[in-house]
Amino acid sequence: MKIKTLTLTAGLLLSVLTASSQGTSAPYQPGITQDAVSYWLPKTQLTVTVTAQKQIFKPGEFSRYAERYLRLNDVKDKAEEVWTITDISISETGIPDKDKLYTLTFPAKGNRPYIELTNDGILSAVNVRVKETVSQTAPAPVKDKEKRLNPQEFMTEEILMAGSTAKMAELTAKEIYNIRESRNAITRGQSDFAPTDGESLKYMLESLSAQETALLTLFNGTRETQDVTFTINVTPDESINKQILFRFSTKLGVLPVDNLAGEPVWIDITDRKMAEGYGVNSSKQKKTSAKKDSPFLYYRIPGRAFVKIYNNRISFVEQDVQIAQFGKVEVVSSTIMGKNADTKITFDTTTGNVKGINE
């Protein structure tokens, strides 16, 4: 079958290997395009999703008269926004590692395996068609916004014709007291106009409460709540210690790292292998024997990392993740493909690891 060739560039040296009946991989070299396919190994990218809630307060038209006419204390007369972080989560995705580009060269004769790549050119499968799908979840039910009544609809003619704001506030307060008296009379059975059936009585009481709530907003103001989501991508090449991920202000919300108006939110990414003393120069590092077989494909054995996201008061995330670039590169030997080159192999396109081999 004809294999689609990817024309890419990279400054890596070509290792000369003996071709097998299935083909062999080598670091990419510009110019190798005929009867070959080039592929990336993945690098793990962490996507940090920050959900913040914004509360918007708008003062009422009669806010400065709230204490005089309704005995409402601590009523604000200035608009404000208050932000709160409600959730921080992390997810992993695979992106092409620009330092890990290889070319699989096929022989002139013999059976050739089918090599599948992602849309980004990351190796995903051999002799298996892995359809790339976007995960779909059932949409969350849309919550109907609470219908806020317009207080102007419940103002009497006398209120609307008042000659000053102070007079309008006084008359509106009296209307609120009248509504309360009517509701109390109905609940006590002292009203001559109360409906006799329970459903109508319930509707009337709810209507009076809604009118009172609407008119009260003219004094104590209104609050609206919005959930806003921000995403930040982090692609570590090594451990990270107390790096500012973003800044946050209760008045301004999520801010970039260079905006000193907010307090810092840090991220730590700790390579588990390095933390346990298995570094490149460590005596604990296991020695691997040289591979005699020609490499059919390169893949990754990912490393593990501990991710922590926090500020001065709270830790938002403490989670272990697999990170491709913290591990090592290994090979699938050409001998594993068998005589007919029909072995099926699937790879994790986020970590680079082998997911399954079916000979």
Side-chain angles (χ1 to χ4, degrees):
M1 71 183 295
K2 186 175 180 181
I3 304 297
K4 184 179 178 180
T5 301
L6 303 181
T7 304
L8 302 167
T9 60
L12 302 176
L13 297 177
L14 172 65
S15 298
V16 180
L17 300 170
T18 303
S20 69
S21 60
Q22 293 83 32
T24 57
S25 283
Y28 176 78
Q29 180 183 10
I32 299 180
T33 55
Q34 189 174 3
D35 295 323
V37 59
S38 295
Y39 59 93
W40 302 102
L41 295 187
K43 175 181 285 191
T44 304
Q45 177 179 271
L46 302 180
T47 299
V48 180
T49 302
V50 182
T51 303
Q53 188 178 83
K54 179 171 66 170
Q55 289 188 343
I56 305 171
F57 172 75
K58 296 179 181 179
E61 182 180 350
F62 307 145
S63 58
R64 59 179 175 169
Y65 303 104
E67 185 175 3
R68 181 191 302 180
Y69 296 126
L70 293 175
R71 297 296 186 265
L72 296 176
N73 300 320
D74 301 325
V75 172
K76 299 179 181 179
D77 58 358
K78 293 182 180 179
E80 66 175 9
E81 291 183 1
V82 178
W83 289 80
T84 307
I85 294 176
T86 57
D87 183 66
I88 297 180
S89 62
I90 57 174
S91 59
E92 306 97 79
T93 55
I95 61 173
D97 188 337
K98 301 303 182 181
D99 294 326
K100 294 295 182 288
L101 176 61
Y102 300 94
T103 297
L104 173 63
T105 305
F106 298 109
K109 298 180 180 180
N111 295 320
R112 298 182 179 183
Y114 167 75
I115 307 298
E116 182 165 283
L117 309 179
T118 67
N119 293 334
D120 293 332
I122 297 174
L123 178 65
S124 63
V126 179
N127 294 323
V128 179
R129 294 186 180 274
V130 182
K131 184 179 180 181
E132 283 192 89
T133 58
V134 178
S135 59
Q136 295 183 348
T137 57
V142 178
K143 295 182 179 179
D144 293 333
K145 292 185 177 180
E146 182 181 355
K147 187 176 180 180
R148 182 174 294 152
L149 299 177
N150 183 0
Q152 302 288 336
E153 297 177 0
F154 306 107
M155 286 185 171
T156 64
E157 181 180 2
E158 185 181 7
I159 296 174
L160 295 174
M161 296 299 291
S164 67
T165 302
K167 188 61 177 179
M168 290 181 68
E170 180 183 358
L171 294 174
T172 301
K174 288 182 178 180
E175 185 66 17
I176 292 173
Y177 288 128
N178 290 335
I179 292 173
R180 290 175 179 175
E181 290 176 2
S182 298
R183 186 173 60 230
N184 290 337
I186 292 173
T187 56
R188 294 168 184 168
Q190 299 173 349
S191 175
D192 296 333
F193 304 99
T196 56
D197 65 291
E199 196 65 31
S200 298
L201 179 63
K202 179 182 177 182
Y203 176 79
M204 177 174 286
L205 291 174
E206 289 178 349
S207 178
L208 290 172
S209 295
Q211 293 177 40
E212 178 189 0
T213 300
L215 291 174
L216 278 173
T217 61
L218 293 170
F219 292 91
N220 55 24
T222 60
R223 290 187 180 275
E224 294 180 2
T225 300
Q226 298 177 2
D227 288 330
V228 186
T229 301
F230 306 86
T231 57
I232 305 166
N233 293 325
V234 181
T235 309
D237 291 317
E238 57 186 3
S239 293
I240 293 174
N241 181 40
K242 207 169 186 179
Q243 175 177 301
I244 298 178
L245 185 63
F246 63 92
R247 290 181 180 271
F248 183 79
S249 167
T250 56
K251 294 183 178 181
L252 302 174
V254 175
L255 302 172
V257 297
D258 57 353
N259 191 331
L260 301 182
E263 66 169 348
V265 175
W266 296 286
I267 183 171
D268 291 348
I269 302 178
T270 306
D271 187 337
R272 288 291 199 187
K273 179 178 66 176
M274 299 296 290
E276 294 168 1
Y278 286 85
V280 175
N281 297 322
S282 172
S283 59
K284 296 182 181 180
Q285 184 181 13
K286 296 181 180 179
K287 295 183 180 180
T288 56
S289 58
K291 295 177 175 60
K292 298 179 181 180
D293 297 320
S294 299
F296 170 62
L297 287 174
Y298 288 90
Y299 71 99
R300 282 192 129 133
I301 299 179
R304 297 194 67 82
F306 177 72
V307 180
K308 181 178 180 181
I309 300 175
Y310 56 100
N311 62 12
N312 281 320
R313 296 177 302 281
I314 187 174
S315 178
F316 299 101
V317 174
E318 293 185 6
Q319 183 176 330
D320 273 315
V321 297
Q322 286 189 326
I323 296 185
Q325 57 272 28
F326 282 11
K328 59 182 179 179
V329 176
E330 290 289 348
V331 299
V332 175
S333 171
S334 58
T335 58
I336 202 173
M337 293 305 298
K339 184 177 180 180
N340 297 320
D342 57 358
T343 298
K344 297 177 175 59
I345 308 174
T346 55
F347 298 91
D348 189 320
T349 56
T350 298
T351 66
N353 205 2
V354 174
K355 294 175 65 176
I357 299 179
N358 184 11
E359 298 185 37

